[in-house]
Amino acid sequence: MNNTVNFTTPTNSTNQSIRPLISLEICFYSINFLFGLPTHSYVIWLIVTGAGSGVASEFFILNLSICEVANSLNSLLFIIPNWFSSLYTLQLFLIGLSLTGRPLFQCLMCVERYLAVVHPVNFLKFKPLRYRVICCTVAWIITFSSCLCSLLILTFLNFNAHTLAYSVQVILFLSIQLFCLVAVLRALKKSGPGERGRERGEANHKKRRAFCLISITTVNMVIIYVPIIISGLFTNLTKLYIDEVWSPAVVCYVLSGFVQPVLYLHQNGKLCFCSP
């Protein structure tokens, strides 16, 4: 993931130098910065300018993209840590953005889809923008609290405590997301009442598109977080940091982060090589 290196690097003092990044990590941090920054910025611009479905309905995606822009900028800090040692404290603080910010906003999106498909009546009650603003405000408070905890734990405790705490957090977030996504998939497989003829064909087409979208999202969540969970648990059990264990998690986290913006651009017909 964007910040996996410092997430598991043995660090007891902010004066301790960051370990040299291996070539693979430098490559994928560079990819995340060079492609993630413009991609997520473009998504933000589309939402704000009203090119999509509107700010209200895409408010969670907007906040997720803002968080991802910060993660992309943070990737640059991990490429040049030894050039500007004064940025080390900032790096430790911003770890919480990728460890908590991304999965938390993804959880909100999954819960929203769950309510919309499985409990549509309740969804209509919480559909107004003010509820989304409240949820995102709480999410940002939790995220910045996580940033502060990352800084304090990595500074005054050790990387094992940090890894264990955030491994448990990732397991919790992944469980919530999988529950919501699987429930949505099950609901989409059922036929709706009163569907027949042309209406049934159109409804089935929309359901197939939604089913495909949710399926991709579900697989993406597994690819993002399962390698992190495995690497974190391995690190805590063995008390060892091994590059070969964490590098696949870094690769999966960085590349899977592009799935959400690509799906959004596809849905809004903004991909020149693919139409919705």
Side-chain angles (χ1 to χ4, degrees):
M1 69 190 161
N2 297 5
N3 311 99
T4 304
V5 176
N6 276 14
F7 169 42
T8 55
T9 301
T11 307
N12 295 319
S13 172
T14 54
N15 294 325
Q16 183 177 352
S17 61
I18 302 174
R19 69 172 183 84
L21 294 176
I22 61 176
S23 299
L24 181 64
E25 290 171 338
I26 294 177
C27 175
F28 281 96
Y29 286 143
S30 301
I31 290 175
N32 193 43
F33 174 73
L34 295 176
F35 294 95
L37 182 61
T39 301
H40 291 289
S41 298
Y42 183 44
V43 170
I44 293 174
W45 183 81
L46 290 176
I47 296 175
V48 172
T49 56
S53 302
V55 175
S57 61
E58 299 173 342
F59 196 70
F60 291 148
I61 300 177
L62 174 64
N63 282 267
L64 175 62
S65 296
I66 293 173
C67 182
E68 293 289 3
V69 166
N71 287 332
S72 299
L73 293 173
N74 199 24
S75 294
L76 181 63
L77 298 180
F78 282 90
I79 300 174
I80 57 173
N82 293 321
W83 300 351
F84 302 97
S85 57
S86 60
L87 297 177
Y88 185 44
T89 301
L90 178 60
Q91 294 169 14
L92 296 182
F93 179 80
L94 293 179
I95 287 177
L97 285 176
S98 59
L99 292 176
T100 303
R102 175 193 281 189
L104 189 52
F105 286 114
Q106 287 176 336
C107 272
L108 290 177
M109 293 172 59
C110 290
V111 171
E112 181 183 44
R113 290 168 179 168
Y114 170 76
L115 291 175
V117 176
V118 182
H119 302 287
V121 176
N122 292 330
F123 172 72
L124 293 176
K125 295 179 181 178
F126 297 100
K127 190 176 180 180
L129 179 60
R130 64 177 180 275
Y131 293 108
R132 292 182 170 92
V133 173
I134 293 173
C135 290
C136 287
T137 300
V138 174
W140 279 114
I141 293 174
I142 295 174
T143 299
F144 285 120
S145 298
S146 173
C147 292
L148 182 59
C149 289
S150 294
L151 175 61
L152 296 177
I153 293 175
L154 289 174
T155 301
F156 299 107
L157 296 177
N158 55 63
F159 77 102
N160 284 328
H162 187 264
T163 304
L164 178 60
Y166 283 96
S167 294
V168 173
Q169 174 185 274
V170 170
I171 292 174
L172 175 62
F173 285 142
L174 180 61
S175 300
I176 296 173
Q177 293 177 58
L178 289 180
F179 170 80
C180 294
L181 293 173
V182 171
V184 171
L185 290 175
R186 292 181 60 184
L188 290 174
K189 290 180 66 176
K190 300 178 181 178
S191 298
E195 293 179 355
R196 58 184 179 179
R198 182 177 177 181
E199 292 182 357
R200 171 175 291 183
E202 293 177 353
N204 288 338
H205 176 68
K206 292 180 180 180
K207 281 188 175 182
R208 283 195 298 269
R209 287 184 57 189
F211 189 89
C212 181
L213 172 64
I214 299 301
S215 298
I216 294 174
T217 303
T218 304
V219 173
N220 185 51
M221 295 303 170
V222 173
I223 294 176
I224 289 177
Y225 297 114
V226 170
I228 295 174
I229 294 172
I230 295 174
S231 300
L233 295 178
F234 175 85
T235 300
N236 274 278
L237 291 174
T238 62
K239 308 301 180 183
L240 297 173
Y241 177 88
I242 301 176
D243 285 330
E244 288 74 11
V245 174
W246 278 102
S247 292
V250 174
V251 174
C252 291
Y253 195 90
V254 171
L255 295 183
S256 299
F258 293 104
V259 173
Q260 183 61 46
V262 169
L263 288 177
Y264 176 82
L265 295 176
H266 169 66
Q267 286 181 298
N268 288 276
K270 300 300 180 179
L271 294 180
C272 59
F273 56 87
C274 184
S275 57

